[in-house]
Amino acid sequence: MRRLFTSESVTEGHPDKVCDYISDSILDSIYEKDNGARVAVETCAKDNEVIVLGEVTTSANIDYESVARQAIREIGYTKEEYGFDAESCKIQILLDKQSPDIALGVDDSLETKNGENLGHGAGDQGMVFGYATNETEEFLPMPISLAHKLSRQLTNARKENIIPYLRPDGKTQVTVEYEDNRPVRIDTVVVSTQHDDGIALETLREDILEKVVKAVLPKELLNENTKYYINPTGRFVIGGPVGDSGLTGRKIIVDTYGGYARHGGGAFSGKDPTKVDRSASYMARYIAKNVVANHLADRCEIQISYAIGVAKPISVYVDTFGTNKIAEEKIQEVVLKNFDMTPDGIIRALDLRRPIYRQTTNYGHFGKDSLSWEKIITL
């Protein structure tokens, strides 16, 4: 059976990703000085104004405005003509301490209060998902893997002056044709990139096709029937927070599996690892990837659910979509035996109390070898 599946990615200059990057930069700046801090930071941006809001409990003294400006600078919004600029933008900081009602459940889990020393409780209720497949070397679905490669190359072409007239905002999309659940061909490629005014559309389309698309997409998956849509509206000069407002946590499908697997109830960026929205999603990916990497299944999805203030998961669900090499009940036993899914267990196993989060913001939170939840162990 043949079918098509599409995933998208965005560049660092996309308005939502600008906000994600500011939030994760603030988290890292706090963790550099206080790795026991509680952080839940969100950012919103519109035109030349940024608002940083949320809850932070820390002993660290942080110049939040300077951190935000540096993050914007690193993305590349450094010219007044963009309308959004690191030096001139107005930044408002609205941060308070974590609610004592929430802290009551996080400081000591329900189990700890009842005499079973399991450390911290989950920072919120909710469910998370992790997924892995053996169809790519990074154990990600091919559509999101290729969409991220395009977005990263689009940014590299700008920052390395390969295409000097590009601006920071951009989106990519890849449609992959599957035959019997295996990727066989790229059907459609979409790239929309912000650019300087006055650039001929024909020049831009030729440059993007040769220096971005064909530079990173596997040649064997492209053929004469592959369709390319490059800046299909014809003009993309106004972008970033000027073209559209930005908000932390609004690109959750870009952050995970491109829609190929399910997503839990919360976003990632700006949250410290006591928030299971983030840390347990990383653990679920870690488990799913190791199930596949250890050849227990070709595909695996893990769901873990939590109650606020409780350390142990409420449920753990394993689905291998009929690709399991041993009984799914046995795989579930392996998972429960080898992985501690309490908040403290996750933090210890993945070493999450470190300033590592800025590197997760762009091009997906999964599939990067430098991240602890991507390491492969023997089960």
Side-chain angles (χ1 to χ4, degrees), residues 57-71:
T57 302
T58 181
S59 60
N61 185 17
I62 305 296
D63 185 343
Y64 297 111
E65 181 178 330
S66 293
V67 173
R69 290 193 191 280
Q70 179 59 23

Side-chain angles (χ1 to χ4, degrees), residues 150 153 189 206-219 222 228:
L150 281 178
Q153 179 64 11
V189 178
E206 182 178 327
D207 283 345
I208 295 299
L209 183 62
E210 295 300 322
K211 299 174 183 178
V212 176
V213 176
K214 292 185 178 180
V216 295
L217 293 187
K219 294 180 177 62
L222 301 172
Y228 303 96

Side-chain angles (χ1 to χ4, degrees), residues 12-273:
E12 300 165 19
H14 185 282
D16 294 330
K17 276 296 156 197
V18 170
C19 294
D20 284 345
Y21 193 62
I22 292 171
S23 296
D24 276 335
S25 294
I26 288 173
L27 172 59
D28 274 2
S29 68
I30 293 170
Y31 258 32
E32 286 169 0
K33 298 180 179 180
D34 176 15
N35 67 4
R38 302 279 172 79
V39 183
V41 172
E42 298 184 50
T43 304
C44 56
K46 178 57 184 166
D47 294 331
N48 206 28
E49 186 165 353
V50 172
I51 302 174
V52 178
L53 64 162
E55 296 77 45
V56 175
T57 302
T58 181
S59 60
N61 185 17
I62 305 296
D63 185 343
Y64 297 111
E65 181 178 330
S66 293
V67 173
R69 290 193 191 280
Q70 179 59 23
I72 298 166
R73 200 174 293 121
E74 290 171 4
I75 291 168
Y77 284 110
T78 55
K79 298 180 181 179
E80 287 189 13
E81 64 195 82
Y82 294 165
F84 178 66
D85 170 51
E87 309 309 322
S88 65
C89 67
K90 178 183 177 182
I91 297 180
Q92 187 175 4
I93 306 296
L94 299 174
L95 295 174
D96 203 352
K97 290 185 177 182
Q98 183 181 67
S99 161
D101 291 352
I102 295 175
L104 188 66
V106 179
D107 291 342
D108 292 305
S109 66
L110 181 64
E111 294 94 333
T112 298
K113 292 171 184 174
N114 290 334
E116 185 181 4
N117 187 18
L118 291 180
H120 295 89
D124 201 354
Q125 72 173 48
M127 77 292 187
V128 301
F129 287 93
Y131 182 79
T133 172
N134 62 8
E135 68 189 55
T136 62
E137 63 180 13
E138 63 266 53
F139 295 89
L140 286 175
M142 185 169 284
I144 190 65
S145 174
L146 296 180
H148 285 324
K149 284 181 170 64
L150 281 178
S151 288
R152 190 185 292 273
Q153 179 64 11
L154 194 57
T155 296
N156 289 343
R158 171 176 61 88
K159 289 187 172 182
E160 295 174 13
N161 222 32
I162 297 170
I163 307 178
Y165 55 79
L166 295 183
R167 292 184 176 185
D169 198 356
K171 301 181 77 172
T172 66
Q173 187 171 287
V174 178
T175 301
V176 173
E177 181 179 339
Y178 284 78
E179 183 175 358
D180 297 328
N181 292 318
R182 306 308 299 176
V184 296
R185 188 180 73 90
I186 297 173
D187 182 80
T188 308
V189 178
V190 182
V191 179
S192 294
T193 180
Q194 188 186 15
H195 57 87
D196 288 346
D197 202 1
I199 302 301
L201 182 58
E202 183 179 342
T203 299
L204 182 144
R205 286 176 171 168
E206 182 178 327
D207 283 345
I208 295 299
L209 183 62
E210 295 300 322
K211 299 174 183 178
V212 176
V213 176
K214 292 185 178 180
V216 295
L217 293 187
K219 294 180 177 62
E220 65 274 14
L221 294 178
L222 301 172
N223 63 19
E224 66 278 5
N225 295 319
T226 301
K227 299 178 285 294
Y228 303 96
Y229 296 95
I230 298 171
N231 278 34
T233 66
R235 177 182 168 88
F236 187 1
V237 174
I238 301 170
V242 178
D244 191 8
S245 59
L247 182 65
T248 296
R250 202 156 54 178
K251 282 290 172 280
I252 58 175
I253 301 303
V254 172
D255 288 342
T256 53
Y257 308 103
Y260 205 97
R262 286 171 282 197
H263 194 287
F268 301 158
S269 289
K271 297 177 181 178
D272 77 77

